[in-house]
Amino acid sequence: MKHFPIFIAVEGRRIVLSGGGEAALAKLRLLLKTEAKITVLAADPAPGITAWAHSGRLTLELRAMAPGDAKGAALFYAANEDAAEDARVAALARRDGALVNIVDNLADSEFITPAIVDRDPVTVAIGTEGAAPVLARAIKRDLEDRLPQALGTLARIGKAFRARADALPFGAARREFWSEYYFSAGPRAMATGGAPALPAALDALMSQHLNTAPRAGRVEFVGAGPGDPDLLTLKARRALDEADVVIHDRLVTLEILELVRREAVLLDAGKEGFGASMAQGDINALMILHALGGAHVVRLKSGDPTVFGRLDEEIEACDAAELDWSVVPGITAASAAVAGIGQSLTQRGRNSSVRFLTGHDMKGFADHDWAALARPGEVAAIYMGKKSARFIQGRLLMHGADPSTPVTVVENASRADQRIVSTTLSQLEPTLSRAAMTGPALTLFGLAPRVAEAALATPDLLKEALS
Ligand code: SAH
């Protein structure tokens, strides 16, 4: 992010603009929506600007900018549509200590003006760092269609009621009150009685909410998927939108944590598989504590919570505390990894079953039925298999697995930095050492990427013809 969006307090402050043509008019139309004091410097202003000056909406100086004109101004706009004059006035304004924007000159501007959706006091600012104004305008149009005009009125009258709504307990109770006001009771009252009907609607809603029993807390075990936010389920998205507290594992990506409701408490349980982390007992205690306090707790686990996620221990803790809980499944790393190499986990004629293994368990390297896995055509998805690669390789070879069995390791499956390393059982350990993977990795035993497989299966003559 090269530009950080903020909302500047301009009420009663000065905004100075140099220029009197089309560019100046366009900016002034926006600036006149603010409660700032606006000064325009233009030797030959467009009639529209003169008219605004006559009606007292801005101060007009019929001359070019001089040193000191931008003293004490919060913002300065150079809108002369003349590069040399813009550079001159921008330098003067900087000396006066104002933040400078040069219209249509991103590189020399200290700030840029976003596309704005105005439902005052609700304001949506859309920026693309100058990269795609067309896109910003399209998003603006889309939001304008979706946000009813009445939203501003609802928000203005709602704001005046905020102090009274504080009588409701902080958290879910208060949120539900506001949600009902904005999305059902408010619009309903507006439709029948217009804005004057809103205060009474708020009163009625308030007494109704004060008389309902507080909601009991609960825990939702939510699968966050392998990392790509687009692979979240709609239920997971909703849970992140509604949670009071989110307790997440370290493998949950930042892009996904971004989607958590801003007011929610975000707690990092630090777990990466069986790695060093907050002790399981502490995670359980934290989860229970918040849920018993009435919070909607989302226990956010990477992939699917039912796969190597120690879900059962956490469910037992909920049961012991008599808390309601539910599970929202997610896409497990194995599914994302096979998708990444264009293969199936099962295939008619090759393997009719697939194993999910962990390279590690709490006691160290995990033991499995190696003899069964070593048979031709077997497929296994190995979680937490990086450190145990040598052990797994040794066990499988010892039990007679074909050294040329394909093995594919997918690091950061589904994420922008996904990496696929394709090798064979005999080369697994050295290949992994060379690859020096730092992200989570899923080892697919018995599978090669479809592209590589196709190349192998293509007769040499055909391969030549194709190349
Ligand atoms: N519940 C998770 C697994 C947790 S165990 C799931 O269903 O995916 C942690 C292991 O999962 C990691 O060591 C790694 O082997 C695997 N893993 C998780 N996310 C991954 C990703 N994006 N790419 C590859 N492997 C991943």
Side-chain angles (χ1 to χ4, degrees):
M1 208 189 277
K2 294 205 179 83
H3 291 82
F4 182 66
I6 55 171
F7 289 91
I8 294 188
V10 293
E11 185 185 5
R13 296 193 67 191
R14 287 179 70 227
I15 298 179
V16 178
L17 179 142
S18 163
E22 277 306 316
L25 273 169
K27 274 291 168 282
L28 286 169
R29 253 177 238 120
L30 277 181
L31 293 174
L32 284 170
K33 290 172 177 244
T34 71
E35 289 170 32
K37 287 189 241 161
I38 295 165
T39 301
V40 177
L41 303 156
D44 181 20
I49 300 180
T50 315
W52 281 325
H54 283 149
S55 60
R57 299 188 63 195
L58 51 79
T59 307
L60 178 61
E61 306 269 0
L62 290 169
R63 58 174 174 82
M65 164 137 179
D69 276 339
K71 270 247 152 53
L75 304 176
F76 178 83
Y77 282 91
N80 297 286
E81 297 164 77
D82 169 338
E85 178 61 0
D86 277 345
R88 182 187 78 85
V89 299
L92 290 179
R94 279 192 196 103
R95 225 168 292 150
D96 286 342
L99 266 183
V100 171
N101 172 273
I102 304 178
V103 174
D104 289 335
N105 180 347
L106 180 69
D108 296 325
S109 292
E110 268 117 57
F111 72 94
I112 49 182
T113 316
I116 295 170
V117 178
D118 175 15
R119 294 287 184 273
D120 188 41
V122 177
T123 311
V124 186
I126 305 147
T128 60
E129 310 214 322
V134 179
L135 187 59
R137 276 195 293 276
I139 296 170
K140 173 178 152 83
R141 251 195 326 273
D142 185 43
L143 285 175
E144 272 171 343
D145 290 346
R146 270 196 282 168
L147 298 177
Q149 281 294 342
L151 192 69
T153 311
L154 284 172
R156 214 167 12 254
I157 292 175
K159 193 173 168 188
F161 198 81
R162 280 210 95 82
R164 289 194 43 210
D166 288 354
L168 289 166
F170 177 76
R174 230 178 268 177
R175 218 171 41 251
E176 272 163 20
F177 169 80
W178 286 117
S179 169
E180 202 174 332
Y181 167 65
Y182 280 111
F183 299 107
S184 60
R188 224 175 21 243
M190 274 292 271
T192 49
L198 287 178
L202 276 164
D203 281 335
L205 192 62
M206 185 67 184
S207 43
Q208 183 192 325
H209 276 248
L210 279 173
N211 290 326
T212 48
R215 221 174 31 132
R218 67 199 162 100
V219 177
E220 245 182 325
F221 297 99
V222 176
D228 176 357
D230 283 348
L231 290 180
L232 283 168
T233 62
L234 289 175
K235 275 197 176 174
R237 280 299 298 261
R238 195 173 325 128
L240 297 183
D241 259 353
E242 293 172 356
D244 299 311
V245 177
V246 175
I247 306 175
H248 67 91
D249 291 345
R250 188 159 300 148
L251 279 181
V252 176
T253 54
L254 279 177
E255 289 97 316
I256 287 175
L257 295 177
E258 278 280 306
L259 301 172
V260 172
R261 199 166 60 80
R262 287 276 170 251
E263 299 75 24
V265 178
L266 202 59
L267 300 168
D268 180 358
K271 271 162 56 110
E272 281 186 56
F274 289 101
S277 59
M278 194 185 259
Q280 185 64 49
D282 292 344
I283 298 176
N284 295 356
L286 202 62
M287 196 172 74
I288 301 300
L289 178 82
H290 283 287
L292 284 179
H296 173 183
V297 176
V298 166
R299 177 73 179 96
L300 192 59
K301 291 168 175 287
S302 78
D304 184 287
T306 71
V307 179
F308 303 125
R310 299 185 70 177
L311 175 65
D312 306 75
E313 292 161 65
E314 297 182 12
I315 287 181
E316 279 157 26
C318 287
D319 281 342
E322 298 183 355
L323 279 167
D324 273 351
W325 55 266
S326 56
V327 181
V328 178
I331 292 182
T332 188
S335 301
V338 282
I341 63 167
Q343 289 287 16
S344 302
L345 282 170
T346 62
Q347 189 187 93
R348 201 183 278 191
R350 182 190 66 200
N351 64 312
S352 57
S353 71
V354 60
R355 284 162 214 255
F356 285 18
L357 307 183
T358 170
H360 256 247
D361 61 19
M362 280 163 359
K363 296 189 279 310
F365 294 152
D367 240 322
H368 298 284
D369 184 354
W370 303 112
L373 257 182
R375 287 196 293 260
E378 289 295 320
V379 170
I382 306 172
Y383 290 71
M384 290 169 281
K386 267 189 307 187
K387 281 202 203 87
S388 50
R390 180 195 293 274
F391 170 80
I392 292 171
Q393 178 185 25
R395 284 290 188 278
L396 283 165
L397 289 173
M398 198 171 87
H399 284 84
D402 182 347
S404 67
T405 307
V407 180
T408 306
V409 184
V410 183
E411 184 191 22
N412 295 319
S414 88
R415 306 180 189 176
D417 50 358
Q418 167 172 295
R419 188 154 61 126
I420 294 166
V421 173
S422 161
T423 183
T424 58
L425 182 59
S426 61
Q427 292 306 306
L428 174 60
E429 204 281 327
T431 310
L432 264 187
S433 294
R434 264 198 314 278
M437 293 179 167
T438 52
L442 200 285
T443 304
L444 294 166
F445 172 73
L447 291 177
R450 183 175 295 275
V451 186
E453 203 181 60
L456 280 178
T458 314
D460 287 348
L461 261 179
L462 187 57
K463 244 187 268 179
E464 254 169 52
L466 288 172
S467 63

